[in-house]
């Protein structure tokens, strides 16, 4: 179980790695989810799940999470989708 600065750790989580196609700001959103989400994103360029946290959110859009992060082209991002409780 992973956790971010805004919570997590008690519900099962799903980890995804995303590679930025270009430099810029990208938004990761769980809008429309059928459960109370919690999400955080980390830098994963070093290949680990413990990279620098780039954002953490609980309840941005109702009970769904959304995070915007500025990244570089080719940067690997670990996206952790978690549930609140």
């Amino acid at each position: 179980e992973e956790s971010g600065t805004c919570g997590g750790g008690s519900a099962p989580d799903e980890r995804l790695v995303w590679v930025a196609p270009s430099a810029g700001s990208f938004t990761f959103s769980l809008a429309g989810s059928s459960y109370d989400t919690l999400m955080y994103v980390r830098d994963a360029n070093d290949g680990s799940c413990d990279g620098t946290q780039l954002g953490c959110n609980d309840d941005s859009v109702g009970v769904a999470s959304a995070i915007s992060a500025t990244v570089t082209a080719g940067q690997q991002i670990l996206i952790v989708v978690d549930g609140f409780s």
Side-chain angles (χ1 to χ4, degrees):
E1 293 295 320
E2 301 283 334
S3 64
T5 58
C6 61
S10 61
D13 53 49
E14 184 68 29
R15 290 175 249 169
L16 309 151
V17 175
W18 175 77
V19 178
S22 60
S25 180
F26 291 85
T27 299
F28 307 93
S29 175
L30 299 173
S33 180
S34 62
Y35 65 97
D36 190 354
T37 65
L38 186 140
M39 175 174 53
Y40 43 97
V41 295
R42 297 184 186 277
D43 177 57
N45 274 338
D46 66 357
S48 78
C49 295
D50 298 325
T52 302
Q53 181 178 283
L54 304 175
C56 191
N57 182 262
D58 178 28
D59 298 345
S60 178
V61 183
V63 295
S65 303
I67 297 171
S68 291
T70 301
V71 299
T72 59
Q75 184 175 0
Q76 292 184 22
I77 302 296
L78 175 70
I79 304 166
V80 181
V81 177
D82 208 342
F84 183 80
S85 297

